[in-house]
């Protein structure tokens, strides 16, 4: 007999505005305790220094985490000129200093070289795995880690402000795997300066923005008053970019058992149009969300005129 999972069967997304000084894992643990939830996870780590959007998945929403991890993200951050650090942020030890203070116009001009698909080396103090160990654990132990460059995409980048000669504030929209600290390192190097990230705020993850977010204090207050569900976004919110197909109760039952359902010709044509790549050369994706009257049933794959369940929701 399977052991019964402890906690409440609560499912949904908490769009948390994470405070500075708190790691992502600890933040998730606090949210989970507040709801007494059986399961919890998050979509994209935020460094302790950083604040802003940390999407926390509870219950069945954990099955959609992978789709949100792949989503585009927006960041607002400040570079402090004059010193480089081991971690490329304010938490690291100073490794080099310089009197160079790039102007806002020089930063804007250099920033254009980092828009598009670029090769980026992750920071040594990062969660990248090296021979099964986290890079930050090796770095803290004094082990020199040579990480391979990775291709990342920065869609937009701009200078927001230069409050004084020692600081510049930037905003970027980027794809998964992009490290703001590495961008700051490379930008400073390109300008012949030393610099590090002194403040970092994530302002958007996929469909989740700061306007939707709740602080830990607000969340704990709602939960203490028995109104925690008001802070939950539906499980399917993370799947906004995936075409949804309404299914009958009978079809939902088949999918919940792991069995495929046959699509009508008109359903196939509608989904093909929504799944096709922008250049019309084929499918950008075959992923479809099956939605019953009661809510999401399964994440499916469309093949040969059928919907085949990949992840089934037990809501």
């Amino acid at each position: 007999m399977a052991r019964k999972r402890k906690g409440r069967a609560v499912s949904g997304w908490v769009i948390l505005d994470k405070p500075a000084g708190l790691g992502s894992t600890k933040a998730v643990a606090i949210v989970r305790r507040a709801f007494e939830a059986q399961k919890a996870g998050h979509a994209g780590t935020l460094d302790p220094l950083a604040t802003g959007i940390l999407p926390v998945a509870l219950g069945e929403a954990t099955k959609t985490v992978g789709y949100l991890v792949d989503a585009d993200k927006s960041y607002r951050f400040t570079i402090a000129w004059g010193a480089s650090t081991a971690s490329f942020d304010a938490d690291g030890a100073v490794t080099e200093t310089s009197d160079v203070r790039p102007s806002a116009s020089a930063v804007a001009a250099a920033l254009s070289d980092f828009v598009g698909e670029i090769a980026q080396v992750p920071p040594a103090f990062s969660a990248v795995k090296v021979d099964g160990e986290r890079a930050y654990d090796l770095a803290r132990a004094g082990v020199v880690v040579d990480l391979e460059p990775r291709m990342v995409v920065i869609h937009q980048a701009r200078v927001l402000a230069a409050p004084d000669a020692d600081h510049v504030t930037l905003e970027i929209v980027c794809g998964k795997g992009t490290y703001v600290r590495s961008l700051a390192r490379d930008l400073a190097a390109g300008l012949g300066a030393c610099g590090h990230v002194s403040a970092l705020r994530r302002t958007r993850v996929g469909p989740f923005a700061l306007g939707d977010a709740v602080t830990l204090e607000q969340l704990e207050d709602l939960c203490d008053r028995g109104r925690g569900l008001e802070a939950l976004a539906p499980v399917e919110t993370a799947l906004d970019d995936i075409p949804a197909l309404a299914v009958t109760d009978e079809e939902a039952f088949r999918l919940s058992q792991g069995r495929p359902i046959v699509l009508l010709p008109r359903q196939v044509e509608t989904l093909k149009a929504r799944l096709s790549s922008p250049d019309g050369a084929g499918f950008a994706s075959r992923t479809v969300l099956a939605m019953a009257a009661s809510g999401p049933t399964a994440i499916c794959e469309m093949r040969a005129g059928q919907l085949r369940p990949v992840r089934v929701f037990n809501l």
Side-chain angles (χ1 to χ4, degrees), residues 238-253:
L239 307 174
D240 273 1
D241 291 338
I242 296 175
L245 178 71
V247 297
T248 65
D249 290 344
E250 182 180 347
E251 290 170 329
F253 179 71

Side-chain angles (χ1 to χ4, degrees), residues 26-269:
K26 289 185 178 179
V28 171
I30 293 172
V31 173
R32 182 178 180 177
R33 283 199 302 272
F35 282 91
E36 300 176 2
Q38 293 177 347
K39 294 187 295 183
H42 67 78
T45 300
L46 270 182
D47 296 331
L49 169 82
T51 66
I53 300 296
L54 179 67
V56 179
L58 299 178
E60 292 297 284
T62 57
K63 295 178 179 178
T64 68
V65 163
Y67 297 91
L68 202 57
V69 167
D70 290 342
D72 287 343
K73 301 169 180 67
S74 298
Y75 295 92
R76 191 180 303 136
F77 62 101
T78 298
I79 297 176
W81 302 117
S84 297
T85 69
S87 59
F88 312 139
D89 64 18
D91 288 339
V94 174
T95 57
E96 188 179 358
T97 60
S98 168
D99 292 331
V100 177
R101 300 294 188 272
S103 65
S105 58
V107 174
L111 199 57
S112 63
D113 293 335
F114 295 92
V115 176
E117 187 176 32
I118 62 171
Q120 186 184 74
V121 178
F125 287 85
S126 66
V128 175
K129 283 195 173 182
V130 180
D131 296 328
E133 295 189 64
R134 297 292 185 185
Y136 54 65
D137 288 331
L138 296 172
R140 287 167 185 158
V143 178
V144 177
V145 180
D146 290 322
L147 298 176
E148 293 294 322
R150 300 178 172 194
M151 300 308 295
V152 299
V153 176
I154 297 178
H155 301 291
Q156 301 172 32
R158 64 185 181 123
V159 174
L160 289 181
D164 52 52
D166 293 327
H167 299 88
V168 64
T169 300
L170 312 175
E171 183 177 63
I172 66 169
V173 179
C174 59
K176 69 174 182 177
T178 304
Y179 280 93
V180 171
R181 288 178 291 137
S182 290
L183 174 60
R185 171 201 63 199
D186 298 340
L187 184 60
L191 290 164
C194 289
H196 63 273
V197 175
S198 60
L200 173 62
R201 185 158 175 78
R202 188 156 66 191
T203 56
R204 180 178 290 275
V205 177
F208 299 144
L210 285 173
D212 310 312
V214 61
T215 66
L216 280 177
E217 291 78 10
Q218 291 170 332
L219 181 64
E220 290 177 322
D221 178 62
L222 283 171
C223 290
D224 287 344
R225 291 188 286 135
R227 296 171 54 190
L229 295 182
E230 293 179 19
L232 276 184
V235 169
E236 64 270 23
T237 311
L239 307 174
D240 273 1
D241 291 338
I242 296 175
L245 178 71
V247 297
T248 65
D249 290 344
E250 182 180 347
E251 290 170 329
F253 179 71
R254 286 182 62 88
L255 291 171
S256 69
Q257 292 185 316
R259 296 186 291 165
I261 62 172
V262 177
L263 298 172
L264 297 173
R266 60 178 174 78
Q267 291 176 313
V268 172
E269 292 306 313

